[in-house]
Amino acid sequence: MRTADGWGSGLLGVVIFSGSLPATRVAVGGFSPLFLTSARAVIAAALGALLLALLRQARPARSDLIPLFVVALGVVVGFPLLTALALTHITAAHSIVFVGLLPLATAIFGVWRAGERPKPAFWLFSGLGSATVVGFALSAGGSASVQGDLLMVAAILLCGLGYAEGARLSRRLGGWQVISWALALSLPVMLAIALATLPAAWQTVSAPAWLGLAYVSVFSMLVGFIFWYRGLALGGIAGVGQLQLLQPFFGLVLAALLLHEPVAWTMIAATAVVVGCVAFARRYA
């Protein structure tokens, strides 16, 4: 039952995260990457702090502070900032395919930080799926950007670390508590950055940019993590982490429907191959 609950929570988290890159792509049309990253953290931190206060949660132990800082570095600062920067060079549809690297990155950090031990076949299929993603990035046409691709790879590595560390802490502290405390720890720095990078003219910010900021602040930065960390904690980091391979499908559909971005057949083919590889990897997680 715990495993089934974990997979259900994880799937809901993936669905919520699927809108993150398209929403970020829209938001960077009106806000700078630095302001977007800091503002979404400040808004989510305020909501998380309110939850912690209303539900009277005990403060984390001193030994939890460094792991919480690692979570903040990975998913509060690193992934949002690097993807926002990447999306000034590449399309949301192109960036979404890099999510194919997340299960492997999460599994590697799960082994390192949480002591999980998947079977050798797991690494074979996960590695093949990741190689497919890298091959797609290297063979993409004129819309590709080396700088954008490297930023996405760095974002994925930091995100995998933040996922694994947060899942490990969630087994003791709870999923929503982990992300709320990580946001609270990062609040002073992120608030200072937000104030220093305020838009020069608010009236020029479009309504879609505001909606993008709202989505990544409330759903991508807080609500999604409540379900995602719970799923990883209950179902296992390496196993449930494979659900992230559904995210490119959801994200590509959103990018096509909402942003009217072209989705090349090579993107669909690469994503399908990666999902197939990780479906096999899941059996051996």
Side-chain angles (χ1 to χ4, degrees), residues 34 39 150 179 183 195 245 247:
L34 265 179
L150 290 177
I179 190 60
L183 286 164
L195 293 174
L245 264 295
Q247 191 169 329

Side-chain angles (χ1 to χ4, degrees), residues 17 36-52 60 64-65 67-78 80 169 175-192 216-226 229:
F17 288 151
L36 177 63
T37 300
S38 54
R40 66 187 279 181
V42 170
I43 294 170
L47 296 174
L50 182 62
L51 284 174
L52 291 170
D64 292 328
L65 292 180
L68 284 171
F69 275 117
V70 172
V71 173
L73 174 66
V75 301
V76 177
V77 181
L169 283 174
W176 72 267
Q177 292 92 333
V178 167
I179 190 60
S180 295
W181 285 118
L183 286 164
L185 287 175
S186 64
L187 179 57
V189 173
M190 302 310 281
L191 179 58
V216 297
S217 300
V218 178
F219 293 98
S220 304
M221 198 77 268
L222 182 61
V223 177
F225 279 103
I226 295 175
Y229 277 151

Side-chain angles (χ1 to χ4, degrees), residues 31 84-85 92 99 124 130 175 178 204 208 217 248 263:
F31 303 107
L85 291 170
V99 176
L124 172 64
S130 299
V178 167
T204 62
S217 300
V263 178

Side-chain angles (χ1 to χ4, degrees), residues 34-197:
L34 265 179
F35 176 79
L36 177 63
T37 300
S38 54
R40 66 187 279 181
V42 170
I43 294 170
L47 296 174
L50 182 62
L51 284 174
L52 291 170
L54 289 176
L55 299 178
R56 299 181 179 181
Q57 297 297 300
R59 292 183 179 181
R62 183 175 298 180
S63 59
D64 292 328
L65 292 180
I66 291 180
L68 284 171
F69 275 117
V70 172
V71 173
L73 174 66
V75 301
V76 177
V77 181
F79 184 78
L81 177 59
L82 292 174
T83 52
L85 291 170
L87 286 167
T88 62
H89 301 280
I90 58 178
T91 66
H94 184 80
S95 69
I96 285 166
V97 184
F98 283 85
V99 176
L101 291 168
L102 256 179
L104 180 59
T106 303
I108 290 172
F109 288 114
V111 169
W112 176 37
R113 299 299 301 157
E116 295 193 353
R117 293 293 182 269
K119 296 178 181 179
F122 170 87
W123 300 111
L124 172 64
F125 287 110
S126 291
L128 181 59
S130 299
T132 302
V133 174
V134 174
F136 166 79
L138 294 177
S139 63
S143 62
S145 162
V146 173
Q147 185 175 357
D149 289 348
L150 290 177
L151 286 168
M152 283 303 304
V153 171
I156 294 302
L157 290 175
L158 282 177
C159 191
L161 174 60
Y163 280 170
E165 195 68 25
R168 189 175 68 87
L169 283 174
S170 295
R171 293 168 180 169
R172 292 188 295 103
L173 301 181
W176 72 267
Q177 292 92 333
V178 167
I179 190 60
S180 295
W181 285 118
L183 286 164
L185 287 175
S186 64
L187 179 57
V189 173
M190 302 310 281
L191 179 58
I193 295 175
L195 293 174
T197 58

